[in-house]
Amino acid sequence: MSWTRAIPAFSCAFMIAYLISMYFHPTFTLYTYGSRIGQWYLGVPQLPPRQGPGMYWYSWLTTGLIAGLVSGGVALALPENVRGRVWSGFVWLVPVVLIVILAWIERTWFGFK
Amino acid sequence: MITFLFICHGLCAIALLGAITHQAAAVWIPVRKGSASFFTRFRAVKAAGYVNAVIVLFLITFIIGSIIYPTYRTGARIYMEDLRMSAPVGAFEVKEHLVSFGLALLPAYWYYWRLPQKPEDNGARKGVVLVLAAIIWAAFLTGHVLNNIKGI
Protein backbone atom coordinates (compact mmCIF):
# COMPACT_ATOMS: atom_id res chain seq x y z
CA MET A 1 0.00 0.00 0.00
CA SER A 2 1.62 3.25 -1.15
CA TRP A 3 1.00 6.61 0.52
CA THR A 4 1.26 8.31 -2.88
CA ARG A 5 -2.32 7.21 -3.66
CA ALA A 6 -3.45 9.95 -1.27
CA ILE A 7 -1.81 12.75 -3.26
CA PRO A 8 -4.65 13.68 -5.68
CA ALA A 9 -7.11 13.90 -2.77
CA PHE A 10 -4.59 16.00 -0.85
CA SER A 11 -4.21 18.48 -3.70
CA CYS A 12 -7.93 18.86 -4.37
CA ALA A 13 -8.83 19.25 -0.68
CA PHE A 14 -6.01 21.75 -0.15
CA MET A 15 -7.33 24.01 -2.93
CA ILE A 16 -10.98 23.74 -1.85
CA ALA A 17 -10.18 24.39 1.83
CA TYR A 18 -7.94 27.33 0.90
CA LEU A 19 -10.71 28.99 -1.09
CA ILE A 20 -13.32 28.35 1.62
CA SER A 21 -10.94 29.71 4.26
CA MET A 22 -10.32 32.83 2.18
CA TYR A 23 -13.95 33.43 1.26
CA PHE A 24 -15.29 32.93 4.77
CA HIS A 25 -12.53 34.96 6.41
CA PRO A 26 -12.22 35.29 9.42
CA THR A 27 -14.17 32.12 10.30
CA PHE A 28 -11.37 29.71 9.34
CA THR A 29 -8.41 32.08 9.78
CA LEU A 30 -6.15 30.50 12.38
CA TYR A 31 -3.58 33.25 12.78
CA THR A 32 -2.55 36.69 11.57
CA TYR A 33 0.80 38.12 10.55
CA GLY A 34 1.45 41.71 11.60
CA SER A 35 3.27 42.78 8.46
CA ARG A 36 4.89 45.96 9.78
CA ILE A 37 6.65 44.50 12.80
CA GLY A 38 6.84 40.84 11.77
CA GLN A 39 4.79 39.39 14.63
CA TRP A 40 2.42 36.43 14.55
CA TYR A 41 -0.90 36.49 16.40
CA LEU A 42 -3.42 33.72 17.05
CA GLY A 43 -6.84 34.35 15.49
CA VAL A 44 -7.75 37.66 13.88
CA PRO A 45 -6.93 40.43 16.37
CA GLN A 46 -7.56 44.13 15.68
CA LEU A 47 -4.02 45.32 14.99
CA PRO A 48 -2.97 48.92 15.69
CA PRO A 49 -1.69 50.77 12.57
CA ARG A 50 1.95 50.50 13.62
CA GLN A 51 1.69 46.67 13.56
CA GLY A 52 -0.62 46.10 10.63
CA PRO A 53 -1.95 45.62 8.10
CA GLY A 54 -2.69 42.06 9.15
CA MET A 55 -1.90 39.32 6.63
CA TYR A 56 -3.99 36.15 6.56
CA TRP A 57 -2.60 34.38 3.48
CA TYR A 58 -0.18 32.25 5.51
CA SER A 59 -3.06 31.07 7.68
CA TRP A 60 -5.23 30.17 4.67
CA LEU A 61 -2.34 28.07 3.35
CA THR A 62 -2.12 26.31 6.72
CA THR A 63 -5.86 25.61 6.68
CA GLY A 64 -5.50 24.17 3.18
CA LEU A 65 -2.56 22.03 4.26
CA ILE A 66 -4.47 20.62 7.24
CA ALA A 67 -7.54 19.84 5.12
CA GLY A 68 -5.29 18.24 2.49
CA LEU A 69 -3.61 16.00 5.04
CA VAL A 70 -6.94 14.94 6.54
CA SER A 71 -8.40 14.21 3.09
CA GLY A 72 -5.29 12.31 2.11
CA GLY A 73 -5.67 10.17 5.22
CA VAL A 74 -9.32 9.50 4.38
CA ALA A 75 -8.37 8.59 0.79
CA LEU A 76 -5.81 6.10 2.09
CA ALA A 77 -8.45 4.48 4.28
CA LEU A 78 -10.86 3.97 1.38
CA PRO A 79 -10.95 0.50 -0.17
CA GLU A 80 -9.19 0.08 -3.52
CA ASN A 81 -12.39 -0.51 -5.51
CA VAL A 82 -13.87 2.82 -4.34
CA ARG A 83 -10.68 4.75 -5.10
CA GLY A 84 -10.37 3.16 -8.52
CA ARG A 85 -13.77 4.55 -9.51
CA VAL A 86 -12.76 8.18 -8.85
CA TRP A 87 -11.99 9.99 -12.13
CA SER A 88 -8.39 11.18 -12.28
CA GLY A 89 -9.47 14.26 -14.25
CA PHE A 90 -10.76 15.82 -11.03
CA VAL A 91 -7.18 16.90 -10.40
CA TRP A 92 -7.42 19.50 -13.20
CA LEU A 93 -11.19 20.05 -13.12
CA VAL A 94 -11.20 21.10 -9.45
CA PRO A 95 -8.70 23.97 -9.91
CA VAL A 96 -10.47 25.11 -13.09
CA VAL A 97 -13.81 25.34 -11.24
CA LEU A 98 -12.13 27.02 -8.25
CA ILE A 99 -10.49 29.60 -10.54
CA VAL A 100 -13.90 30.46 -12.01
CA ILE A 101 -15.31 30.87 -8.48
CA LEU A 102 -12.25 32.94 -7.53
CA ALA A 103 -12.82 35.24 -10.51
CA TRP A 104 -16.39 35.77 -9.32
CA ILE A 105 -15.28 36.44 -5.72
CA GLU A 106 -12.65 38.98 -6.78
CA ARG A 107 -14.72 40.67 -9.51
CA THR A 108 -15.37 43.82 -7.45
CA TRP A 109 -11.68 44.81 -7.67
CA PHE A 110 -12.15 45.17 -11.42
CA GLY A 111 -15.33 47.25 -11.35
CA PHE A 112 -17.87 44.41 -11.72
CA LYS A 113 -20.82 44.39 -9.32
CA MET B 1 18.39 42.07 1.09
CA ILE B 2 14.75 42.40 -0.01
CA THR B 3 15.90 43.78 -3.38
CA PHE B 4 18.25 40.82 -3.82
CA LEU B 5 15.45 38.38 -2.97
CA PHE B 6 13.08 40.21 -5.29
CA ILE B 7 15.52 39.86 -8.19
CA CYS B 8 16.01 36.15 -7.38
CA HIS B 9 12.20 35.78 -7.28
CA GLY B 10 11.95 37.27 -10.75
CA LEU B 11 14.82 35.23 -12.19
CA CYS B 12 13.44 31.96 -10.81
CA ALA B 13 10.00 32.88 -12.16
CA ILE B 14 11.48 33.36 -15.64
CA ALA B 15 13.24 29.97 -15.49
CA LEU B 16 10.02 28.37 -14.22
CA LEU B 17 8.03 29.98 -17.01
CA GLY B 18 10.44 28.58 -19.59
CA ALA B 19 10.37 25.07 -18.13
CA ILE B 20 6.59 24.79 -17.80
CA THR B 21 6.01 26.32 -21.24
CA HIS B 22 8.41 23.83 -22.86
CA GLN B 23 6.64 20.97 -21.11
CA ALA B 24 3.10 22.16 -21.87
CA ALA B 25 3.97 22.76 -25.53
CA ALA B 26 5.59 19.32 -25.83
CA VAL B 27 2.48 17.67 -24.37
CA TRP B 28 -0.27 19.68 -26.05
CA ILE B 29 1.32 20.38 -29.44
CA PRO B 30 3.63 17.38 -29.93
CA VAL B 31 5.97 17.31 -32.90
CA ARG B 32 4.63 14.99 -35.63
CA LYS B 33 7.33 15.38 -38.25
CA GLY B 34 10.89 16.53 -38.11
CA SER B 35 11.33 20.21 -38.89
CA ALA B 36 14.05 22.70 -38.24
CA SER B 37 11.83 25.63 -37.21
CA PHE B 38 12.33 27.27 -33.83
CA PHE B 39 8.77 26.48 -32.73
CA THR B 40 9.20 22.81 -33.61
CA ARG B 41 12.48 22.56 -31.72
CA PHE B 42 10.83 24.35 -28.78
CA ARG B 43 8.20 21.57 -28.62
CA ALA B 44 10.55 18.69 -29.41
CA VAL B 45 11.59 18.06 -25.82
CA LYS B 46 11.04 15.18 -23.43
CA ALA B 47 8.21 16.57 -21.31
CA ALA B 48 8.84 14.30 -18.33
CA GLY B 49 12.36 15.69 -18.01
CA TYR B 50 11.02 19.04 -16.80
CA VAL B 51 9.05 17.79 -13.79
CA ASN B 52 11.73 18.08 -11.12
CA ALA B 53 12.92 21.43 -12.45
CA VAL B 54 9.37 22.81 -12.41
CA ILE B 55 8.76 21.59 -8.85
CA VAL B 56 12.06 22.94 -7.48
CA LEU B 57 11.73 26.29 -9.29
CA PHE B 58 8.11 26.69 -8.22
CA LEU B 59 9.02 26.02 -4.59
CA ILE B 60 12.00 28.41 -4.63
CA THR B 61 9.94 31.14 -6.33
CA PHE B 62 7.05 30.57 -3.93
CA ILE B 63 9.21 30.63 -0.79
CA ILE B 64 11.03 33.80 -1.84
CA GLY B 65 7.68 35.35 -2.77
CA SER B 66 6.24 34.54 0.65
CA ILE B 67 9.28 36.18 2.30
CA ILE B 68 9.03 39.42 0.30
CA TYR B 69 5.21 39.54 0.40
CA PRO B 70 5.01 41.63 3.64
CA THR B 71 7.23 44.26 2.00
CA TYR B 72 4.75 44.53 -0.86
CA ARG B 73 1.85 44.64 1.62
CA THR B 74 3.29 47.55 3.59
CA GLY B 75 4.74 49.43 0.61
CA ALA B 76 3.63 48.95 -2.99
CA ARG B 77 0.08 47.93 -2.11
CA ILE B 78 -0.52 50.93 0.13
CA TYR B 79 0.92 53.19 -2.59
CA MET B 80 -1.57 51.73 -5.10
CA GLU B 81 -4.46 51.93 -2.65
CA ASP B 82 -3.68 55.60 -2.03
CA LEU B 83 -3.93 56.15 -5.79
CA ARG B 84 -7.22 54.15 -5.88
CA MET B 85 -5.71 51.64 -8.30
CA SER B 86 -8.07 48.86 -7.38
CA ALA B 87 -7.49 46.68 -10.48
CA PRO B 88 -3.74 46.17 -9.84
CA VAL B 89 -4.38 45.52 -6.14
CA GLY B 90 -7.09 43.01 -7.09
CA ALA B 91 -4.80 41.42 -9.67
CA PHE B 92 -2.27 40.75 -6.93
CA GLU B 93 -5.01 39.27 -4.74
CA VAL B 94 -5.88 36.91 -7.60
CA LYS B 95 -2.19 36.09 -8.09
CA GLU B 96 -1.84 35.27 -4.40
CA HIS B 97 -4.70 32.76 -4.63
CA LEU B 98 -3.57 31.31 -7.95
CA VAL B 99 -0.07 30.52 -6.70
CA SER B 100 -1.65 28.91 -3.64
CA PHE B 101 -3.61 26.65 -5.99
CA GLY B 102 -0.37 26.00 -7.84
CA LEU B 103 1.38 25.01 -4.62
CA ALA B 104 -1.46 22.62 -3.78
CA LEU B 105 -1.33 21.19 -7.29
CA LEU B 106 2.42 20.45 -7.22
CA PRO B 107 2.16 17.08 -5.41
CA ALA B 108 -0.52 15.89 -7.86
CA TYR B 109 1.61 17.17 -10.74
CA TRP B 110 4.50 15.07 -9.45
CA TYR B 111 2.21 12.07 -8.87
CA TYR B 112 0.86 11.97 -12.42
CA TRP B 113 4.18 12.78 -14.11
CA ARG B 114 6.46 10.42 -12.19
CA LEU B 115 7.88 7.45 -14.05
CA PRO B 116 6.64 4.93 -15.06
CA GLN B 117 3.60 6.79 -16.40
CA LYS B 118 0.25 5.01 -16.58
CA PRO B 119 -1.54 5.42 -19.94
CA GLU B 120 -4.92 5.78 -18.18
CA ASP B 121 -3.64 8.94 -16.45
CA ASN B 122 -2.78 10.64 -19.73
CA GLY B 123 -5.72 13.05 -19.51
CA ALA B 124 -4.91 14.02 -15.92
CA ARG B 125 -1.27 14.50 -16.86
CA LYS B 126 -2.11 16.83 -19.74
CA GLY B 127 -4.73 18.69 -17.72
CA VAL B 128 -2.58 19.29 -14.68
CA VAL B 129 0.35 20.64 -16.71
CA LEU B 130 -1.96 23.01 -18.60
CA VAL B 131 -3.55 24.35 -15.41
CA LEU B 132 -0.14 24.76 -13.78
CA ALA B 133 1.20 26.55 -16.87
CA ALA B 134 -1.80 28.90 -16.90
CA ILE B 135 -1.30 29.68 -13.20
CA ILE B 136 2.41 30.35 -13.67
CA TRP B 137 1.84 32.58 -16.71
CA ALA B 138 -0.89 34.57 -14.92
CA ALA B 139 1.25 34.97 -11.80
CA PHE B 140 4.30 36.03 -13.81
CA LEU B 141 2.46 38.60 -15.91
CA THR B 142 0.69 40.04 -12.86
CA GLY B 143 3.93 40.34 -10.92
CA HIS B 144 5.68 41.91 -13.89
CA VAL B 145 2.96 44.53 -14.47
CA LEU B 146 2.71 45.37 -10.75
CA ASN B 147 6.46 45.78 -10.54
CA ASN B 148 6.23 48.27 -13.39
CA ILE B 149 3.64 50.23 -11.41
CA LYS B 150 5.54 50.19 -8.11
CA GLY B 151 8.50 47.99 -7.27
CA ILE B 152 9.20 46.93 -3.71
Side-chain angles (χ1 to χ4, degrees):
Chain A
M1 192 168 90
S2 168
W3 63 272
T4 55
R5 291 175 298 123
I7 288 177
F10 168 88
S11 288
C12 292
F14 188 130
M15 290 183 276
I16 293 168
Y18 174 90
L19 195 71
I20 290 173
S21 183
M22 183 273 286
Y23 185 66
F24 291 103
H25 170 76
T27 308
F28 300 106
T29 304
L30 307 173
Y31 56 87
T32 301
Y33 181 70
S35 55
R36 223 175 277 282
I37 58 164
Q39 289 258 7
W40 301 89
Y41 304 90
L42 270 180
V44 187
Q46 193 70 38
L47 295 180
R50 65 176 183 83
Q51 294 180 2
M55 292 176 66
Y56 314 108
W57 178 64
Y58 306 102
S59 172
W60 300 335
L61 286 173
T62 308
T63 309
L65 179 67
I66 292 167
L69 290 172
V70 171
S71 299
V74 171
L76 275 183
L78 288 175
E80 185 65 44
N81 62 336
V82 174
R83 253 194 335 269
R85 271 183 275 161
V86 178
W87 181 49
S88 63
F90 277 121
V91 78
W92 62 262
L93 185 62
V94 167
V96 168
V97 170
L98 292 180
I99 288 169
V100 172
I101 296 171
L102 176 67
W104 180 81
I105 292 171
E106 303 287 3
R107 71 194 183 285
T108 51
W109 288 106
F110 306 98
F112 298 103
K113 298 289 178 195
Chain B
M1 185 61 180
I2 289 294
T3 305
F4 172 74
L5 288 174
F6 188 54
I7 291 169
C8 290
H9 181 66
L11 291 175
C12 289
I14 291 168
L16 174 62
L17 196 64
I20 195 73
T21 308
H22 260 301
Q23 189 182 29
V27 170
W28 280 91
I29 330 164
V31 176
R32 304 281 180 216
K33 278 188 262 178
S35 164
S37 76
F38 169 77
F39 187 59
T40 303
R41 286 199 304 274
F42 184 86
R43 296 177 290 148
V45 294
K46 285 188 177 170
Y50 285 86
V51 176
N52 289 342
V54 166
I55 292 171
V56 170
L57 285 167
F58 190 103
L59 288 177
I60 293 173
T61 310
F62 184 91
I63 290 167
I64 297 176
S66 66
I67 293 169
I68 61 178
Y69 187 12
T71 309
Y72 159 81
R73 186 67 188 83
T74 55
R77 173 161 168 162
I78 290 174
Y79 170 85
M80 289 187 283
E81 284 174 343
D82 288 345
L83 294 176
R84 299 182 183 278
M85 301 173 75
S86 72
V89 173
F92 191 90
E93 291 285 306
V94 172
K95 172 188 167 163
E96 164 191 62
H97 304 318
L98 287 180
V99 295
S100 303
F101 291 163
L103 180 73
L105 209 51
L106 273 193
Y109 167 74
W110 171 82
Y111 176 78
Y112 286 114
W113 274 92
R114 74 199 163 128
L115 300 172
Q117 294 175 347
K118 296 180 195 163
E120 63 267 29
D121 291 336
N122 203 28
R125 210 161 21 249
K126 288 175 77 173
V128 81
V129 79
L130 188 65
V131 172
L132 201 55
I135 287 172
I136 290 167
W137 267 99
F140 179 84
L141 292 175
T142 304
H144 186 63
V145 170
L146 286 186
N147 185 49
N148 285 350
I149 295 171
K150 178 82 174 86
I152 60 174

